[in-house]
Amino acid sequence: MTADLTVTDVRLTPVLVSDPPLLNTQGVHQPYAARLIVEVVTAGGTTGFGETYGDTKYLDVARPLAEALPGRQVTDLNGLFTLAGSVKIDAARVEGTADAGGQRGVQTADKLRLSVVSAFEVACLDALGKARELPVHALLGHKVRDRVEYSAYLFYRWARHPGGRGGTDDWGAARDPAGIVAQARRFARDHGFRSFKLKGGVYEPAEEIAAVRALAEALPDAPLRLDPNGAWSVPTSLDVAEQLRDVLEYLEDPTTGTSGMARVASRSGIPLATNMCVTTFPEIPEAFATGAVQVVLSDHHYWGGLLRTRELAAVCRTFGVGVSMHSNTHLGISLAAMTHVAATVPNLDHACDSHYPWQSEDVLSRRLTFREGCLDVSDAPGLGVEVDREKLAVLHRRWLEDDGTMRDRDDAAAMRRADPGWVTPAVPRW
Ligand SMILES: [Mg+2]
């Protein structure tokens, strides 16, 4: 008998997840990061899970979408976009605010909708896969590889959050080349990572160049990346590229805007990657026509799900542009979704980013484990992960009890707890 795939219920559970004091050009990660867990329940008794950003503006879109879904089929993934399109968003409250990654000035109502749809799409695919006893990758055309490689994500960081809030860990501070190299060695030892990305834009370029040089010396032949989140001018970007040309796999978003990226790309002779100037389909034509980016960092949250991620990969393949994967703070549900879609993209030529090793908490019964820097692609039905209800309840309780300061990402506000005079730096910062 065929299971009934009609959606009967959708549950939304916002959670707060412990996050270390990782530094970036905007400020520092808050002690807790908000995520939204989406559950789609079918008449056949299957529950599928998805995950996305949990800030208030995402919840405001997710709630009406959740109310509209019952009665529809989990196979109707295209219908999710139509439903989300009818959700009213006060554009004035959204346009120009920080986007999901804490970057400024790039959020739009459409991008917000897509990030919410992504969690519903993944939950529907998880439910469908469980009902059909097929892994999600099989629903996307089947895996073309058995494991997906990830890159270590290195951060300048403090030992603790200011003011004593939040969890603690034993990583200590990393504020110079030696600290970054020690972090890389620990990631390599604990997870087997073979490629390394440093989040830059925190210190003066000379300091970050020294850190990448130290990494190249400590880890010869390892692919290295540096991502200052657009903190540099075009001349500064060209200067950094010149000094690191021989050791970088690619330079990620050295400067903001497609035209600036195009000027850097044409003169630097080093591949540029982005998760800032190409985050939607309408941004692709100009960026590709001007040669502004050589690698697009896909992100199934930004792009509206796993099917859209495959569409993006097809466009990149058509134009000879590389594909890799971007990450913001996330839990195991999203990591499983990333791994399934990454396994189906033939032209995924670079190791994917993931913050997951920094997250000490998860809603999964069993955390996903990297071996040799890779995750095995699950062949179990759906995403192949099991959610622990008690863990979910604990993290939801933290969200319920929060005084409102942690529910919306604000890295500059977190920085002001240590440095009251901190203002978000103007771009370019250097
Ligand atoms: Mg980036």
Side-chain angles (χ1 to χ4, degrees):
M1 199 179 94
T2 307
D4 188 341
L5 297 173
T6 309
V7 176
T8 53
D9 194 16
V10 180
R11 289 193 283 265
L12 303 179
T13 312
V15 296
L16 283 182
V17 187
S18 194
D19 205 17
L22 308 178
L23 296 159
N24 57 43
T25 203
Q26 307 279 309
V28 63
H29 285 207
Q30 297 180 124
Y32 299 104
R35 297 296 286 176
L36 172 64
I37 308 301
V38 175
E39 288 176 60
V40 169
V41 184
T42 69
T46 317
T47 301
F49 288 90
E51 172 194 340
T52 190
Y53 304 96
D55 306 53
T56 307
K57 61 189 176 189
Y58 296 86
L59 299 182
D60 288 345
V61 178
R63 289 191 183 105
L65 190 53
E67 280 172 23
L69 207 57
R72 304 177 76 99
Q73 300 294 302
V74 291
T75 50
D76 186 9
L77 304 173
N78 289 330
L80 291 172
F81 295 95
T82 315
L83 281 183
S86 65
V87 173
K88 291 226 176 340
I89 296 176
D90 182 353
R93 283 187 55 211
V94 170
E95 309 277 341
T97 63
D99 85 341
Q103 302 311 319
R104 110 200 81 187
V106 289
Q107 183 77 75
T108 66
D110 282 344
K111 286 169 73 169
L112 178 57
R113 283 192 183 93
L114 291 174
S115 293
V116 173
V117 163
S118 71
F120 285 74
E121 188 233 35
V122 167
C124 285
L125 285 168
D126 186 33
L128 177 60
K130 285 170 176 166
R132 294 275 186 264
E133 299 193 343
L134 287 170
V136 165
H137 72 73
L139 303 176
L140 302 173
H142 213 272
K143 63 184 178 182
V144 296
R145 57 181 67 82
D146 291 319
R147 38 188 222 164
V148 170
E149 184 171 7
Y150 285 84
S151 162
Y153 205 156
L154 311 177
F155 278 86
Y156 291 109
R157 55 163 291 166
W158 297 330
R160 305 210 179 310
H161 287 284
R165 281 197 74 173
T168 55
D169 61 29
D170 62 356
W171 282 87
R175 308 180 67 162
D176 55 22
I180 292 299
V181 167
Q183 207 179 81
R185 288 194 192 284
R186 180 166 166 182
F187 270 124
R189 185 195 71 205
D190 293 353
H191 306 288
F193 289 123
R194 294 171 296 194
S195 80
F196 301 84
K197 161 173 164 172
L198 173 62
K199 174 60 74 183
V202 176
Y203 297 119
E204 300 224 352
E207 176 68 20
E208 299 185 353
I209 289 168
V212 173
R213 282 263 154 227
L215 284 171
E217 201 160 299
L219 304 153
D221 301 326
L224 303 177
R225 309 146 178 195
L226 175 59
D227 173 18
N229 281 125
W232 304 333
S233 66
V234 169
T236 300
S237 300
L238 287 168
D239 183 46
V240 174
E242 176 64 29
Q243 296 194 54
L244 293 178
R245 186 198 309 264
D246 57 324
V247 293
L248 283 185
E249 176 187 19
Y250 55 68
L251 189 55
E252 181 174 329
D253 288 310
T255 196
T256 55
T258 300
S259 66
M261 287 283 280
R263 278 183 284 152
V264 176
S266 68
R267 284 148 60 192
S268 69
I270 190 169
L272 300 189
T274 188
N275 65 277
M276 291 174 70
C277 74
V278 178
T279 58
T280 59
F281 287 100
E283 291 165 315
I284 288 178
E286 185 192 348
F288 286 13
T290 58
V293 299
Q294 286 66 54
V295 180
V296 174
L297 303 172
S298 69
D299 180 318
H300 76 270
H301 307 92
Y302 282 14
W303 290 83
L306 308 188
L307 292 168
R308 291 281 178 107
T309 300
R310 285 179 47 78
E311 289 176 12
L312 167 64
V315 174
C316 289
R317 194 160 63 240
T318 307
F319 286 90
V321 170
V323 181
S324 186
M325 204 174 274
H326 165 258
S327 153
N328 271 314
T329 300
H330 63 87
L331 296 172
I333 297 171
S334 274
L335 183 59
M338 290 157 70
T339 303
H340 276 278
V341 71
T344 71
V345 173
N347 50 322
L348 189 90
D349 300 323
H350 307 271
C352 303
D353 289 343
S354 175
H355 284 65
Y356 192 66
W358 288 114
Q359 262 54 65
S360 55
E361 298 176 326
D362 202 348
V363 296
L364 298 188
S365 310
R366 255 198 334 277
R367 280 180 70 83
L368 300 174
T369 309
F370 296 95
R371 288 187 301 113
E372 297 174 328
C374 299
L375 285 181
D376 291 333
V377 182
S378 170
D379 288 320
L383 291 171
V385 296
E386 188 189 324
V387 171
D388 182 318
R389 295 268 169 205
E390 182 50 35
K391 289 180 182 172
L392 182 62
V394 167
L395 300 185
H396 179 53
R397 206 171 305 133
R398 185 187 286 149
W399 183 88
L400 287 172
E401 291 169 358
D402 178 63
D403 59 10
T405 53
M406 297 292 143
R407 289 184 181 183
D408 296 287
R409 180 171 177 173
D410 190 340
D411 291 11
M415 185 62 114
R416 277 192 289 276
R417 282 179 209 112
D419 177 0
W422 177 263
V423 286
T424 305
V427 179
R429 190 170 172 188
W430 289 287

